[in-house]
Amino acid sequence: MLLKPTLDDLNLIGHNLGRVMTVTAGAGLLPLVWAIAEHEPAPASAFLLMVAVYAILGGAGLHLRSQRKHLSWSHGMVVVALVWLLVPAVGAIPFWLSGHFAGYLDAFFDAMSGITTTGLTVANDLDHMATSMIFWRHLLHFLGGQGIIIAALSLFAGAGVAALYHSEGRDEHIFPSVGSTARFIWLVSVVNALLGVTVLAIIGTASLGFDVGRSIFHGITIFMAAFDTGGFSPQSTSMAYYHSALYEAATSILMVAGALSFGLHYALWRRQRHLHRNIEARTLLITFFGTLIITQIGLVTLGLYDTVGPLTRQSYFQVLSAHTGTGFATVPSSELALWGGLAFAGMAIAMALGGMASSTAGGVKALRIGLTAKAIVAQVKKVLLPEGTVISTRFWLNGPKDLSSDVVQGVMTATLLYVALYLVGAGAGLAVGLPLQEAVFESISAAANVGLSVGVTGPGMPTLLKVTYILQMWAGRLEFLAVFSLFGFLWATVRGR
Amino acid sequence: MMRRLLAAITLVLIAVAQPAAAAADDIDLADLLADPAAYADAQVALVGELIGDYGFRPDGTVWTQLNDDPYATAPLHAAGGTPSGGNVGVGIVGDRSMFHELDPPGRFDRVGPVVRAVGVWRYHDDARGGESYLELTDLEPIWPGYPIQQPLSRPVLIVAIGLAAIAVLLLAGAVRKQRHR
């Protein structure tokens, strides 16, 4: 029997929501300042409105007081699930007022796509969009990828922060305290930002011939979309806009950095040994090259690329983008739709598997894939070896660990939930009349927070699909538990005792 | 409004009045993108707005994007444009001399020049790692670019200022409360 939440529960949740909203209001000042600096008065007024709404929600939440000081796990889960709904709901206001979206639902779709680092878009006329508005789209990637909660944790020390941290789908403790871990994540991000933007801006100026200001603009936006494995682009033609292998190479490095867990970043910074034994790194390498080979065989079979050079460059970039969950493309969506057969299979599998746990990438995650494979091998051994043989399965993740049945159960549950989520979206696609391949591709892209499209996602997409993809992006990013907790909380509010 | 109307009329007149030889090669970009392989290495002509950036590369070429969509004459935020879907664009490249006389490319604050771009459609070009783009042989300006501005909505501004004032009071109250505890 679920217990009905008390007023004290609601106050505790409201207070913590208020904290996060206040931090988000602070982040919202950045596009406001940008709009003022760029002489974009209409977007500036829209951003002022957005910041005001965030701040009102924040201020109202901070006024709520609870008898309890500690957030329980269930409170944390509910807060996080609500944060990931409220932030895009308010963040959609400037998009809605920009005139580039057919209505609020479309604006909300893009805001949800931004915060969940998906990158699917239903924007009209992106190429004439205000630079401050584009910056806000990409900043949503950054906030979502680095974790709004992480930002709040870095600023507000307090009891029960671990509940919030884990509710956002992060399992990693790089340092003993969650606050220190949060600050390390920001340190990694800032260092990568400085390096990434500088390198992209230099390439933009020296190689692509953009003026310095525009090179920096492209550098900032592309960095945020690549490192946070988001996929929004300042131009409608995505990475094909740049026509530069060098720019693609620099972006590839950022995409890989974004798909690595922050624990692995820490290990790399500390030049720790045993990196080659890390189960996630090994799994990611195997699945990346596996899906790359599958895709390449498919493309050769289709006869889309005649020679090795183009085949390698185009397949490498698209598969890397899919596997890291970024969603950049160097081919138009109409052409991606022609990647049938094995090329489709390679891309779909790459998207579905995703990057590392506790990274900015979505999908099932390399850790779960690796552990699932180990569990299957152990099961096969159990069948083949003499009865009564004790089989101990170990794996390496920041040290040697035993593969317990609890871990296997958790991994299998999450994997099954992802598969179910992919199927639900594909079913919705089929329901509105999409061909199977397109329905599956787009559904995986939304649920695994990738953002590649074969042309289905767009302003003219049926409302059913927009709503389905919004829910998929939200559930996929939060890895289900927080979402289920919110539904349970609402149920308890209505039917609990 | 008048300028956009004139631009639209001009585009229609050009489409109708083009010499027969040139008209044979004129295609919609949407058609080209729907079946890009069919036009591989063919001479084609596209009409559209130059948008984004002019990338003046060290090798003497300029890369930019050409959009063939309704927003070339009616951007959404500049009073009157209606949502008509995503942009339809493609990369074009030509010699630096072709771009000397052109206005800056289109962005939020301006409509870029509308041009007739004639060139060879390079599809999955081996020499450029499989990129697809239009290699220009001629770039003919049709209509110059012009500045645009999104009108400021006074109701939005008034509501925003009002809510911002409430937000400041609420946050100040919360901070005061925190200090008292």
Side-chain angles (χ1 to χ4, degrees):
Chain A
M1 175 60 67
L2 287 169
L3 293 176
K4 195 166 196 154
T6 62
L7 186 63
D8 201 48
D9 288 316
L10 297 176
N11 283 344
L12 188 62
I13 289 168
H15 183 77
N16 281 281
L17 270 177
R19 285 176 161 189
V20 182
M21 288 300 132
T22 305
V23 171
T24 314
L29 289 172
L30 293 173
L32 172 61
V33 170
W34 183 299
I36 293 168
E38 284 289 310
H39 307 291
E40 296 172 350
S45 65
F47 286 122
L48 180 62
L49 180 61
M50 175 191 79
V51 170
V53 175
Y54 276 135
I56 285 173
L57 291 171
L62 290 176
H63 272 86
L64 298 173
R65 291 290 164 205
S66 164
Q67 298 300 318
R68 271 175 292 180
K69 299 292 174 199
H70 293 266
L71 269 179
S72 68
W73 283 101
S74 60
H75 290 133
M77 295 281 177
V78 172
V79 169
V80 166
L82 286 174
V83 161
W84 284 76
L85 283 177
L86 275 177
V87 170
V90 179
I93 292 172
F95 297 153
W96 184 35
L97 295 173
S98 73
H100 287 266
F101 295 87
Y104 179 77
L105 180 67
D106 288 23
F108 181 62
F109 183 99
D110 259 46
M112 181 61 87
S113 178
I115 200 83
T116 56
T117 70
T118 305
L120 290 170
T121 182
V122 291
N124 293 275
D125 196 13
L126 178 72
D127 291 332
H128 282 112
M129 195 178 269
T131 55
S132 57
M133 207 63 72
I134 289 172
F135 174 68
W136 175 233
R137 280 158 59 84
H138 290 254
L139 187 63
L140 279 171
H141 275 339
F142 197 64
L143 289 173
Q146 305 317 119
I148 315 162
I149 302 296
I150 293 285
L153 290 179
S154 307
L155 295 174
F156 294 98
V161 292
L164 285 176
Y165 179 75
H166 291 288
S167 306
E168 209 178 33
R170 297 176 191 275
D171 304 320
E172 213 151 40
H173 273 277
I174 300 165
F175 294 102
S177 88
V178 170
S180 307
T181 302
R183 279 188 284 280
F184 174 75
I185 289 176
W186 276 102
L187 177 67
V188 170
S189 307
V190 169
V191 169
N192 275 285
L194 289 173
L195 286 172
V197 173
T198 304
V199 168
L200 289 173
I202 288 171
I203 297 173
T205 309
S207 176
L208 304 186
F210 295 161
D211 63 54
V212 176
R214 289 288 290 182
S215 293
I216 294 171
F217 169 69
H218 283 283
I220 290 171
T221 52
I222 292 297
F223 165 77
M224 287 195 278
F227 184 68
D228 292 288
T229 62
F232 278 156
S233 169
Q235 298 291 147
S236 61
T237 43
S238 190
M239 286 305 290
Y241 178 74
Y242 301 100
H243 287 277
S244 165
L246 190 59
Y247 212 76
E248 285 166 29
T251 308
S252 296
I253 294 169
L254 292 170
M255 292 194 288
V256 172
L260 299 182
S261 69
F262 287 103
L264 200 63
H265 275 284
Y266 181 71
L268 287 168
W269 281 38
R270 298 294 302 267
R271 295 183 186 173
Q272 287 179 352
R273 292 177 181 181
H274 308 301
L275 276 178
H276 62 286
R277 298 173 72 179
N278 183 298
I279 186 170
E280 284 195 285
R282 291 166 76 159
T283 308
L284 199 62
L285 272 178
I286 292 167
T287 54
F288 170 69
F289 283 107
T291 50
L292 178 63
I293 290 166
I294 292 170
T295 307
Q296 286 180 334
I297 293 171
L299 290 174
V300 169
T301 310
L302 292 167
L304 284 174
Y305 294 96
D306 301 329
T307 50
V308 175
L311 174 73
T312 306
R313 179 174 158 191
Q314 300 301 328
S315 60
Y316 166 81
F317 191 86
Q318 258 62 234
V319 172
L320 187 69
S321 175
H323 211 321
T324 57
T326 310
F328 282 144
T330 56
V331 297
S333 55
S334 55
E335 200 175 317
L336 208 53
L338 301 175
W339 290 26
L342 277 180
F344 160 75
M347 289 290 287
I349 294 168
M351 288 197 297
L353 298 183
M356 288 189 183
S358 295
S359 73
T360 64
V364 177
K365 308 274 166 41
L367 179 60
R368 295 196 182 104
I369 302 301
L371 292 181
T372 302
K374 277 196 171 283
I376 291 170
V377 170
Q379 205 61 34
V380 172
K381 276 185 185 168
K382 203 173 177 182
V383 172
L384 295 177
L385 292 174
E387 214 169 305
T389 308
V390 178
I391 297 163
S392 167
T393 305
R394 310 198 84 194
F395 62 95
W396 188 280
L397 187 73
N398 306 324
K401 290 184 169 62
D402 281 320
L403 185 61
S404 66
S405 55
D406 279 354
V407 171
V408 172
Q409 193 182 358
V411 163
M412 293 290 187
T413 307
T415 306
L416 274 176
L417 284 170
Y418 269 107
V419 173
L421 192 65
Y422 298 153
L423 291 176
V424 166
L430 291 174
V432 299
L434 292 180
L436 179 64
Q437 182 173 311
E438 291 183 7
V440 171
F441 189 97
E442 217 78 3
S443 168
I444 295 175
S445 182
N449 306 122
V450 178
L452 285 167
S453 175
V454 287
V456 172
T457 303
M461 185 167 60
T463 304
L464 173 68
L465 273 192
K466 285 177 188 166
V467 174
T468 306
Y469 292 167
I470 286 171
L471 291 172
Q472 282 187 294
M473 290 188 278
W474 180 56
R477 181 65 177 87
L478 292 181
E479 305 201 338
F480 309 105
L481 207 51
V483 174
F484 292 153
S485 297
L486 177 62
F487 288 137
F489 180 81
L490 294 174
W491 180 257
T493 306
V494 179
R495 301 293 298 267
R497 285 192 180 174
Chain B
M1 187 68 192
M2 197 59 193
R3 300 191 77 164
R4 283 191 291 103
L5 188 65
L6 280 171
I9 293 168
T10 310
L11 283 176
V12 171
L13 287 176
I14 284 165
V16 172
Q18 280 297 320
D25 295 328
D26 277 20
I27 54 167
D28 283 340
L29 182 52
D31 293 338
L32 174 71
L33 294 177
D35 191 6
Y39 298 92
D41 296 325
Q43 182 95 358
V44 297
L46 301 167
V47 175
E49 177 193 8
L50 300 183
I51 200 141
D53 304 86
Y54 293 147
F56 294 92
R57 302 222 175 167
D59 64 0
T61 60
V62 175
W63 285 83
T64 189
Q65 183 174 319
L66 181 142
N67 278 8
D68 179 8
D69 54 38
Y71 309 117
T73 49
L76 277 177
H77 55 264
T82 52
S84 315
N87 295 110
V88 183
V90 72
I92 63 171
V93 58
D95 190 77
R96 188 178 285 238
S97 59
M98 293 179 179
F99 291 82
H100 274 322
E101 304 290 315
L102 291 173
D103 288 318
R107 288 179 198 161
F108 170 68
D109 58 354
R110 72 174 73 97
V111 169
V114 173
V115 298
R116 181 168 182 269
V118 183
V120 180
W121 173 242
R122 301 293 182 199
Y123 175 66
H124 291 181
D125 187 10
D126 282 353
R128 290 200 56 86
E131 294 174 8
S132 300
Y133 58 95
L134 186 72
E135 187 176 358
L136 296 172
T137 52
D138 188 35
L139 191 63
E140 182 187 328
I142 293 176
W143 190 258
Y146 57 92
I148 51 172
Q149 190 161 28
Q150 184 174 13
L152 180 66
S153 165
R154 282 193 180 175
V156 169
L157 186 61
I158 290 166
V159 171
I161 291 171
L163 290 179
I166 295 169
V168 168
L169 291 174
L170 267 172
L171 285 174
V175 169
R176 210 177 306 124
K177 214 169 169 180
Q178 186 78 27
R179 280 185 184 157
H180 279 298
R181 287 168 66 88

